Amino acid sequence: MRVAIIYYSATGTNYRLAQTAARAAEAAGAEVRLRKVAELAPPEAIEQNPAWKRHVEATRDVPDARLDDLVWADVIVFSTPTRFGNVPSQLKQFLDTTGPLWAKGALVDKVVTAMTSAQNPHGGQEATLLSLYTTAYHWGAIVVPPGYTDPAVFAAGGNPYGTSATVPEPDTPLPEAVVRAAEHQVRRAIDIARRLKAGR
């Protein structure tokens, strides 16, 4: 089972979610690619935000996501912050480059699931996940949300569309309940993908 974890993170929260997803996938026996989407913000904007600058420097060695990562994967896990109830422009730009893959049907039946974060519980988290999943529907992918399939979902806030973290400050560690929910979500997506491959 091959799992591509594609994330965007300005100050680190979604990087931590992506790392959690990677560990869960590896523990489930999957081969994993952890990839960040390319940063589009100008250097002067990043320089003015110490947390953003620290994160960019700390993740300099994480490879950028490529379309090949999507083709390679059986399961695609996205992790993204909210931007006015939608995905950031950095991730949107990457998604917009998938047109040639869509035209060839290269993403049909991929299992897709997603996670998100915001500074407050009502910062557009559910809308962001639903917006992202719209792209997956156009691909013909199979969206696998966590739903209410495990107590961990309720403990982390009860978002049935995907794990969502409320992190008020950039360097705040992920709550343990969010970590457990993310792990469950990734295991569920891998399980569904395995069943699909087995024809069950």
Side-chain angles (χ1 to χ4, degrees):
M1 192 58 50
R2 296 175 296 191
V3 179
I5 299 165
I6 312 293
Y7 78 93
Y8 174 72
S9 191
T11 58
T13 299
N14 284 276
Y15 177 52
R16 289 191 285 279
L17 276 170
Q19 289 176 307
T20 298
R23 287 191 294 270
E26 288 169 351
E31 185 180 351
V32 175
R33 289 185 184 179
L34 178 63
R35 302 290 188 262
K36 67 176 187 284
V37 296
E39 181 59 78
L40 304 177
E44 54 269 24
I46 297 170
E47 286 287 331
Q48 292 174 11
N49 184 324
W52 196 353
K53 181 180 178 182
R54 279 197 307 274
H55 180 67
V56 167
E57 292 172 351
T59 58
R60 197 171 300 281
D61 293 335
V62 177
D64 285 347
R66 298 176 298 129
L67 294 181
D68 175 65
D69 297 316
L70 303 180
V71 175
W72 169 86
D74 300 302
V75 177
I76 303 165
V77 180
F78 289 104
S79 188
T80 177
T82 69
R83 290 294 184 270
F84 304 113
N86 210 320
V87 299
S89 59
Q90 291 88 341
L91 179 55
K92 183 64 165 66
Q93 191 275 340
F94 177 73
L95 295 174
D96 284 347
T97 68
T98 63
L101 298 183
W102 164 81
K104 293 188 296 185
L107 302 177
V108 170
D109 293 345
K110 302 286 186 181
V111 168
V112 172
T113 197
M115 307 173 185
T116 190
S117 69
Q119 287 186 318
N120 56 72
H122 303 290
Q125 296 178 11
E126 292 185 354
T128 296
L129 294 172
L130 292 171
S131 297
L132 196 159
Y133 288 149
T134 300
T135 299
Y137 299 142
H138 281 258
W139 291 345
I142 298 169
V143 172
V144 177
Y148 295 113
T149 55
D150 192 272
V153 177
F154 291 96
N159 188 340
Y161 308 115
T163 303
S164 54
T166 301
V167 181
E169 298 296 333
D171 296 324
T172 305
L174 293 175
E176 190 60 28
V178 169
V179 171
R180 298 283 85 82
E183 291 171 342
H184 166 70
Q185 182 175 348
V186 170
R187 286 194 301 267
R188 172 170 155 75
I190 291 171
D191 178 57
I192 296 297
R194 283 191 172 125
R195 294 192 206 182
L196 288 169
K197 275 198 152 187
R200 291 187 281 126

